[in-house]
Amino acid sequence: MKLVVVESPAKAKTIEKYLGPGYRVLASYGHVRDLPPRDGSVDPDDGFAMEWETYPDKARQLKAITDEAKGAEALILATDPDREGEAISWHVQEVLKKRKALPAHVERVTFNAITKSAVTEAMGRPRGLDEDLIDAYRARRALDYLVGFTLSPVLWRKLPGAKSAGRVQSVALRLIVDRERDVELFRPQEYWSVAALMEADGQEFLARLVRFEGGKIDRLTIADKATAEAAKAAVEQGRFTIASVETKPFVRNPPPPFMTSTIQQEAARKLGFSASHTMRVAQDLYEAGAITYMRTDGVDMAPEAISAARRAVAERFDSGYVPDKPRHYVTKAKNAQEAHEAIRPTDFRQDRHGSGDHGRLYDLVWRRALASQMASARLERTAAELADGTGRTVLRATGQVVLFPGFLALYEEGRDEPDDDEARRLPRLREGETPAKKQVTAEQHFTQPPPRYSEASLVKKLEELGIGRPSTYAAILQTLKDRDYVRLEKNRFIPEESGRLLTAFLERFFERYVSFDFTARLEEELDDVSGGRADWQKVLEAFWRDFKPKTAEIMERKPSEVTEALDEFLAPWLFPDKGDGTDARLCPACGQGRLSLRGGRYGAFVACSNYPECRFTRRFGQGGDESAADGGPELLGQHPESGQDIFRKTGRFGAYVEMGEGKEAKRSSIPKDAGELDLDLAVKLLSLPRTVGDHPETGKPITASIGRYGPYLAHDGKYAKLAGTAEVFETGMNAAVVKLADAERGGGRARGSREPLKVLGPHPRTEAEIRLMEGRFGPYVTDGTTNATLPKTLAPDQLTLEEAAQLIDERAAKGPAAKKGRGRKTGPKKPAAKKKK
C-alpha cells in the first residue's frame, strides 16, 4: 500500500477515488507545524537554526498519517504545487523521520488540476522535494519571525496602543496612510464645463467646448461662473458646422487568463469579493476539480487547454471569432513561476459550476479564460470638431463604434476608474453639415482627491511595486484588518489611528524597512533563493546585520524621546499652517498653552501644555481638526428627579454620559445614531434598561437596552435585535412581543434561538448535517456532536462547507472542552464506602 498525503480532506477524498485500490490518501489539514511564538525559535547565532513545533490541534491527523506510514511501502507527498505546498510536504517528511515512521521510498508529485487525467499523469512523473523552494520558505518564515519578535517589543514599550508590525504588512499599511495624507492635503479647485446637446440624423450626441475666444480650453481653464456663462452664451448664439471628422480604427486584444493577483482584482471589481473570500471560493473550485490551481503567477495555458478553448469558441460563436494562431501570454510578474498554468476551467465545455459565490467566480474564470483565445475586437474611434462662423468657438464630440466585437462578445475587463467617454456612441457625421443644437449647459465641478485604495487597486499597486507576492496578498490585507490598523468604508481602505501612528513610528525610526525600494529588493533576493541563485542564510545575515542594531538603538530611547520625535515628525499633519500667521500649536481652549503629542496608556493624543489647569485634548486621529476636540467634561444639566449633575465626557471608546462619582457613578455610551445630545436624551440613556412591560404569556418582564452589539430586546434569556437607538425608547408591548417571537423563529437571529442561521450540508466524511448557529459568544458551527466557534477572520456569510468541516474536525481533535475547576489541584478520589450488609 502506498500512502499519499495532501492538504485538504476534500482533495483527499477525490484523489483516493481516482487512484483506486493500493493507495491510501490522507489529509494534513494544511501546515502541521510552525515556529512557536516565543523567543529563541530562530537563532541567528547558529546559522538561523529553527526550532519547529507541531500544532496541538493536528495531533489526530499526524497520528493517522504516522500509523499509516509505518506499514506503507512508499510515501507520496502530493501537496499543492507552490512554495507553501512544498513546505507542507517537507514538514510531514521531517515529522515522520523524527518519529521513525518514514517509508524507505519517498516521492513528491504535483498536479495543476484535480482531474483524473492530471492526477494519474502526475503519479507517473514523481520527483524529489525541491530544496530551493524549501530554503525560500524557511528564509521567509525566519525573516517574518525575526521582524515580528524583534520589532514588536520595541513597539509595546515605546508606542502605547501598538500591537505588532510585519515586514510586508507595514509597507502595505504605509501605502494606505500615504494615500490618506494625500486626500487630507488635497484642496478642491472649482472649474466649469460647457457642452451642447446636438442632433444629427435623428440621433443626439454631446459636444464639449474646447476653444473659446480663440483660446484652448483645458479642464481647469474656466474657473468661475461668470466666464462659464459668457462661454455658454457664445455657444448658444453660434451656428456650428462640422469642420473636421477624424476616424481612427483600432484593435483591442483580450486580456490573459487570470493569475492570483488579477483574479483578486477582478473579483473585487465585478463581484465585490474581498481578496481572502476570493481565494477561499477559488480553493473550493480547485478542490472540486472545476478549475486549475489558483495560486499562480503564470498567465499561459497548457497546449491542450488552448486547443480546447479554441474549439469551444468555434462551437459557441463561429470561426470568425477564433484567431488564426493560438494566443500565448507572458507574465510581467517578478519571478513568475512559469511552470504553473494560469487559472482556467478544467473543462471548457462546462460553462457553469456550483451556485452562489462559487458559481459567480467560476463564470468569471470561464469567461476570462475562453476570451483569452478569441479574436481581437475591432473598433473605430471618431473625433469631430464643430466651429462657429468666426472659428473662435469650437466644440468637440468624441465616441467609438464597435465594428467587430471579438472577445468583447463574451468578456470585458473591469476598471477601477471607468471612463464614460469611451463608451459614447456617435451618429455618422460629415464635414460641412450643420447639426441641430438642442440645449447648451454650463456645469460646475470641483477637482477630486486621489481615490482611496480598494482591495483591487491596493493589490495592483503592491504588484506594480514588487512588494509581497500574489499568493500572500489576501493574507496581508486580512492581517491589516484583523489588527484594526485599517477599516473598509464603501470598499475603500481608511487607516485607523493606530495604523497612522504605527506608520509614523516606522517612517521616523525604521525608514529603510518600510521603504518601497528596500522591500521590493528583499523580495527579489528571496526569489533568488527559490530559484537557487542565492543562499538563504546569507540573505538573512545581510538583513539581520543592520536590523538588530537598529532595534537595539531605539529600545534604548526613553518613551518621552520617542513621543517628542514623533511630535516633530507629524507636526505638518497634527498642526497644519492656518495661513493667517498665527501659531498652529496655540491651545484653542485657554489661548496660552501650546499643543503637542502625548503618549497615554491607550495610545497617542494631543494635549495642552497647561495641563491640569487646561484639560483640552484631541484624539490623535483627528489631525488638525479642533472641532472634534475634547475640552473636558461638558455639563448637560441636572437629573430632574435626583438633581445630580450629568456630564458629557470622552473616553477611550468615545463619547459617553455620566451621572454621579466613583463606584456609584452611572454611565452610558452615546450611540452614533442617537442624534443631537441634550439633557433629555442623556437622562433616557442613563435610565436603561427600559422595562417595556410584562410578557402577556409568561408574565416575565421585557426590557429594551443598548449592548455591545447594539440595541436589543430581552425576555427570559431570549433576545431580539432592534433597528436603532430610537426603537429602544419607542417600542411598545405589541411590537416587542412580535419581534421576540420572530427572533425565536430565526427571523431576528436571537441569541437564544436554536434555529440555524444556515444549513451548510453534510460533513464530507461523517455525512452528519453541519449547521451554522448563533451562540451566546458569537456564531459557531456544529454537526450535532462537536461545536466549533468561528474565528474572527471568517465572516459567517462567507463560510463554506469545507471550512466548517475543518473547524469541526480540528475542534474534535482537541478532545472535550475542559470542565470548570479543571485547573484546581484536587486530591486523589476516595474509594466509595462499602455498603453494610
Short mmCIF file of all heavy atoms in Angstrom, two decimals, residues 810-829:
data_model
loop_
_atom_site.label_atom_id
_atom_site.label_comp_id
_atom_site.label_asym_id
_atom_site.label_seq_id
_atom_site.Cartn_x
_atom_site.Cartn_y
_atom_site.Cartn_z
N GLU A 810 -10.99 19.98 13.60
CA GLU A 810 -9.90 20.49 14.43
C GLU A 810 -10.35 20.57 15.89
O GLU A 810 -9.58 20.29 16.81
CB GLU A 810 -9.45 21.86 13.92
CG GLU A 810 -8.70 21.79 12.61
CD GLU A 810 -8.37 23.16 12.05
OE1 GLU A 810 -8.83 24.16 12.64
OE2 GLU A 810 -7.65 23.23 11.04
N ARG A 811 -11.60 20.97 16.11
CA ARG A 811 -12.10 21.05 17.49
C ARG A 811 -12.22 19.67 18.09
O ARG A 811 -11.88 19.45 19.26
CB ARG A 811 -13.48 21.76 17.50
CG ARG A 811 -14.06 21.92 18.90
CD ARG A 811 -13.20 22.89 19.70
NE ARG A 811 -13.52 22.89 21.12
CZ ARG A 811 -13.03 22.06 22.02
NH1 ARG A 811 -12.16 21.12 21.65
NH2 ARG A 811 -13.36 22.17 23.28
N ALA A 812 -12.69 18.71 17.30
CA ALA A 812 -12.83 17.34 17.80
C ALA A 812 -11.48 16.73 18.14
O ALA A 812 -11.35 15.96 19.09
CB ALA A 812 -13.55 16.48 16.76
N ALA A 813 -10.44 17.11 17.37
CA ALA A 813 -9.10 16.57 17.61
C ALA A 813 -8.54 17.02 18.95
O ALA A 813 -7.67 16.36 19.54
CB ALA A 813 -8.16 17.00 16.49
N LYS A 814 -9.03 18.16 19.46
CA LYS A 814 -8.54 18.67 20.75
C LYS A 814 -9.15 17.93 21.94
O LYS A 814 -8.71 18.10 23.07
CB LYS A 814 -8.85 20.16 20.88
CG LYS A 814 -8.14 21.03 19.86
CD LYS A 814 -8.54 22.48 20.02
CE LYS A 814 -7.87 23.36 18.99
NZ LYS A 814 -8.29 24.78 19.09
N GLY A 815 -10.19 17.14 21.68
CA GLY A 815 -10.85 16.46 22.78
C GLY A 815 -11.93 17.32 23.40
O GLY A 815 -12.13 18.46 23.01
N PRO A 816 -12.65 16.77 24.40
CA PRO A 816 -13.73 17.53 25.03
C PRO A 816 -13.22 18.77 25.73
O PRO A 816 -12.08 18.82 26.19
CB PRO A 816 -14.34 16.53 26.03
CG PRO A 816 -13.24 15.54 26.28
CD PRO A 816 -12.47 15.45 25.00
N ALA A 817 -14.08 19.80 25.81
CA ALA A 817 -13.72 21.05 26.48
C ALA A 817 -13.47 20.82 27.95
O ALA A 817 -14.06 19.95 28.58
CB ALA A 817 -14.85 22.07 26.30
N ALA A 818 -12.54 21.61 28.50
CA ALA A 818 -12.20 21.47 29.92
C ALA A 818 -13.38 21.87 30.78
O ALA A 818 -14.08 22.82 30.52
CB ALA A 818 -11.00 22.35 30.26
N LYS A 819 -13.61 21.11 31.86
CA LYS A 819 -14.68 21.45 32.80
C LYS A 819 -14.21 22.54 33.73
O LYS A 819 -13.02 22.74 33.95
CB LYS A 819 -15.06 20.21 33.63
CG LYS A 819 -15.54 19.03 32.78
CD LYS A 819 -16.85 19.31 32.11
CE LYS A 819 -17.35 18.11 31.32
NZ LYS A 819 -18.58 18.42 30.60
N LYS A 820 -15.18 23.25 34.31
CA LYS A 820 -14.83 24.30 35.26
C LYS A 820 -14.11 23.67 36.43
O LYS A 820 -14.49 22.63 36.94
CB LYS A 820 -16.09 25.03 35.74
CG LYS A 820 -16.68 25.94 34.68
CD LYS A 820 -17.83 26.74 35.23
CE LYS A 820 -18.38 27.68 34.17
NZ LYS A 820 -19.51 28.47 34.67
N GLY A 821 -13.07 24.37 36.87
CA GLY A 821 -12.32 23.88 38.02
C GLY A 821 -11.27 22.87 37.65
O GLY A 821 -10.62 22.31 38.51
N ARG A 822 -11.07 22.66 36.33
CA ARG A 822 -10.10 21.65 35.89
C ARG A 822 -8.69 22.01 36.33
O ARG A 822 -7.87 21.16 36.57
CB ARG A 822 -10.18 21.52 34.37
CG ARG A 822 -9.33 20.40 33.83
CD ARG A 822 -9.52 20.27 32.33
NE ARG A 822 -8.66 19.24 31.79
CZ ARG A 822 -8.61 18.94 30.51
NH1 ARG A 822 -9.39 19.56 29.66
NH2 ARG A 822 -7.81 18.00 30.08
N GLY A 823 -8.44 23.33 36.40
CA GLY A 823 -7.10 23.76 36.74
C GLY A 823 -6.78 23.65 38.22
O GLY A 823 -5.65 23.77 38.63
N ARG A 824 -7.81 23.43 39.06
CA ARG A 824 -7.55 23.36 40.50
C ARG A 824 -6.96 22.01 40.86
O ARG A 824 -7.33 20.96 40.31
CB ARG A 824 -8.85 23.57 41.28
CG ARG A 824 -9.45 24.95 41.09
CD ARG A 824 -10.49 25.21 42.16
NE ARG A 824 -11.59 24.26 42.11
CZ ARG A 824 -12.73 24.50 41.43
NH1 ARG A 824 -12.87 25.61 40.77
NH2 ARG A 824 -13.70 23.61 41.44
N LYS A 825 -6.05 22.03 41.81
CA LYS A 825 -5.45 20.79 42.28
C LYS A 825 -6.42 20.08 43.22
O LYS A 825 -6.97 20.68 44.14
CB LYS A 825 -4.13 21.08 43.01
CG LYS A 825 -3.04 21.58 42.08
CD LYS A 825 -1.77 21.79 42.84
CE LYS A 825 -0.67 22.28 41.90
NZ LYS A 825 0.60 22.50 42.62
N THR A 826 -6.62 18.84 42.97
CA THR A 826 -7.51 18.07 43.84
C THR A 826 -6.80 16.80 44.26
O THR A 826 -5.94 16.28 43.57
CB THR A 826 -8.80 17.70 43.10
OG1 THR A 826 -8.45 16.98 41.92
CG2 THR A 826 -9.60 18.94 42.72
N GLY A 827 -7.14 16.34 45.40
CA GLY A 827 -6.51 15.14 45.91
C GLY A 827 -7.05 13.91 45.24
O GLY A 827 -8.01 13.96 44.47
N PRO A 828 -6.45 12.75 45.49
CA PRO A 828 -6.94 11.51 44.88
C PRO A 828 -8.35 11.21 45.35
O PRO A 828 -8.73 11.51 46.47
CB PRO A 828 -5.93 10.45 45.36
CG PRO A 828 -5.32 11.05 46.58
CD PRO A 828 -5.32 12.51 46.39
N LYS A 829 -9.14 10.66 44.45
CA LYS A 829 -10.51 10.36 44.76
C LYS A 829 -10.58 9.21 45.76
O LYS A 829 -9.91 8.20 45.62
CB LYS A 829 -11.24 9.97 43.47
CG LYS A 829 -12.68 10.32 43.46
CD LYS A 829 -13.25 10.09 42.09
CE LYS A 829 -14.63 10.68 41.97
NZ LYS A 829 -15.18 10.47 40.64
#
